[in-house]
Amino acid sequence: MDSEKHNIIRVGSRKSELALIQTNFVIDSLKKIYPDKEFSIVTMTTLGDRILNVSLPKIGEKSLFTKDLEDALKNKTVDFVVHSLKDLPTSLPDGLAIGAVFEREDPRDALVLREDVKDCTLATLPAGSVIGTSSLRRTAQLRGSFPHLSIVDVRGNLNTRLRKLDSSTKEYSALLLATAGLQRMGWGDRVSKILPCSEMMYAVGQGALAVECRTDNAEILAMLAPFNHPETYCRVLAERSFLKTLGGGCSAPVGISTKLKPMESNFKLTITGGVWSLDGTTKVNDTMEQTFTQIKKTQKHNLSPTEESNSKKIKIDEENIDNNFNPLQKLDEKISEANENSNCEDLSEPGAPKSHSVYCGLTENTNIPLDVILKCDDLGKDLANNLISKGALDVMKVTQDLIRSSVGVKSS
């Protein structure tokens, strides 16, 4: 496209304040390494933004917050798009992939209480207190653990939801929101409590920013490669592999929790996944672990716009970045064979030599050994299969049937 020839990079974004904060953050990060590039933001609304009077699962469409942006990518109206990773399905349209996942912020959910009940917890809120959420995952976990509460759907961006909470009508006693979104908006002081994963497992990919681009745009892929944060990548790949194998999404209550810890001589990735019935009374869950002898790390870079200004930061070493790096290297036959049994997809054209592969929509992270990528992919797959053997698909089917018939569904 013309913008590529004139050194102008067009960036797609939703119009919400949070989306623009996230998009500008990614652009500012890129500018530090590529000061000669000019970035232009192209904003648009998505189906999920336009339909606010229907709960998300009842809309019955996939990619509610991404399809319009992805259409612009495919049409070459924009060069890359910034998303909240949790909004991206585990399978992306042909020709598109996630070029980088930025360092993850706190993925947990936050309880935001109305001022007159700010000293309460979920357990101590008065019976019948109304909790606002647009998530089946949160709804099911709340109903299972706190049956004395009333769960009501609430739609709109963060600004709109908080206004509803603060309204004089006092319709809502509390909201459940993503901690990372509140922090990025500078509203961390609204958080009454960050919910532990033992109380509320979070959504797959929550807290991470993803940059989606075309798989044939080697220049953009090379620009994004240094920002593909290894630790975040390992965690979210396992999470997305879990969800893809399970076949879940916004139409089923599915939650996740991952931890990646350095041990004495290796690294340990722990993943816990759960599936709930809509009323929260049935839960299928399991935990698995994987160890790695090493995870090749990049230098940590500041990827949180809300970090304390006096915290220690290590900048990316610009001199050590290979600007001639081509992320679309041809994989040898051994690697291709190893990928056959994974959740990866080949990006090459039919009949062409095999080139690069993606794993649940994520391009191969060149900062990480391939065997680590494959193990993360397998870990998520194995966890999902464990849950399937315990009856998870039956639990999910009941929920999906309820949604389709709209019987007994009061919130999403």
Side-chain angles (χ1 to χ4, degrees), residues 357-375:
S357 293
V358 294
Y359 301 82
C360 301
L362 302 166
T363 56
E364 181 184 336
N365 190 327
T366 56
N367 304 311
I368 305 174
L370 181 63
D371 69 301
V372 172
I373 294 175
L374 295 175
K375 285 181 179 179

Side-chain angles (χ1 to χ4, degrees), residues 164-363:
K164 290 180 179 180
L165 177 66
D166 298 334
S167 170
S168 58
T169 62
K170 295 186 177 182
E171 178 183 357
Y172 299 96
S173 296
L175 302 175
L176 283 190
L177 302 167
T179 300
L182 289 166
Q183 290 175 337
R184 289 176 186 137
M185 290 286 286
W187 294 340
D189 59 340
R190 294 301 306 261
V191 176
S192 304
K193 179 186 179 184
I194 296 178
L195 301 179
C197 296
S198 58
E199 193 169 300
M200 182 68 58
M201 278 198 270
Y202 46 82
V204 166
Q206 187 162 302
L209 298 182
V211 183
E212 187 179 17
C213 61
R214 294 185 297 277
T215 57
D216 62 359
N217 196 333
E219 178 187 3
I220 294 296
L221 283 166
M223 286 179 62
L224 295 173
F227 295 92
N228 212 358
H229 190 254
E231 291 87 344
T232 300
Y233 184 96
C234 289
R235 291 175 62 189
V236 300
L237 173 55
E239 294 174 16
R240 288 173 66 81
S241 179
F242 165 76
L243 187 62
K244 183 173 183 176
T245 304
L246 202 58
C250 68
S251 61
V254 178
I256 201 76
S257 171
T258 54
K259 295 179 182 179
L260 181 60
K261 290 186 176 182
M263 310 298 284
E264 185 173 331
S265 60
N266 54 30
F267 294 85
K268 182 172 72 173
L269 176 60
T270 304
I271 179 171
T272 299
V275 173
W276 291 262
S277 60
L278 197 57
D279 62 6
T281 58
T282 301
K283 176 182 179 181
V284 182
N285 69 303
D286 202 353
T287 299
M288 297 189 70
E289 296 178 348
Q290 178 63 267
T291 58
F292 316 101
T293 55
Q294 71 170 28
I295 293 176
K296 183 181 178 182
K297 295 183 178 180
T298 56
Q299 289 178 297
K300 185 177 180 181
H301 43 285
N302 177 22
L303 294 178
S304 171
T306 58
E307 284 189 37
E308 294 293 335
S309 59
N310 60 356
S311 64
K312 295 181 179 179
K313 300 180 178 69
I314 302 176
K315 295 182 179 179
I316 294 177
D317 184 356
E318 298 180 23
E319 295 179 359
N320 290 332
I321 294 175
D322 181 3
N323 290 317
N324 294 317
F325 167 72
N326 180 5
L328 299 179
Q329 304 173 47
K330 180 181 178 181
L331 301 180
D332 60 28
E333 293 181 2
K334 183 176 181 181
I335 294 176
S336 298
E337 183 179 352
N339 283 342
E340 286 180 0
N341 295 321
S342 70
N343 276 327
C344 73
E345 304 164 31
D346 179 29
L347 296 184
S348 57
E349 293 294 328
K354 285 188 179 295
S355 56
H356 202 59
S357 293
V358 294
Y359 301 82
C360 301
L362 302 166
T363 56

Side-chain angles (χ1 to χ4, degrees), residues 137-162:
R137 169 185 58 83
R138 292 169 181 149
T139 296
Q141 292 182 78
L142 284 172
R143 285 176 173 167
S145 300
F146 307 100
H148 68 291
L149 301 176
S150 176
I151 319 302
V152 175
D153 183 65
V154 59
R155 292 290 312 281
N157 57 36
L158 282 179
N159 314 56
T160 301
R161 297 186 194 195
L162 288 173

Side-chain angles (χ1 to χ4, degrees), residues 10-13 69-70 73 78-83 210-213:
R10 292 187 174 184
V11 184
S13 174
L69 295 162
E70 289 174 332
L73 259 182
V78 297
D79 299 302
F80 68 77
V81 174
V82 179
H83 302 279
V211 183
E212 187 179 17
C213 61

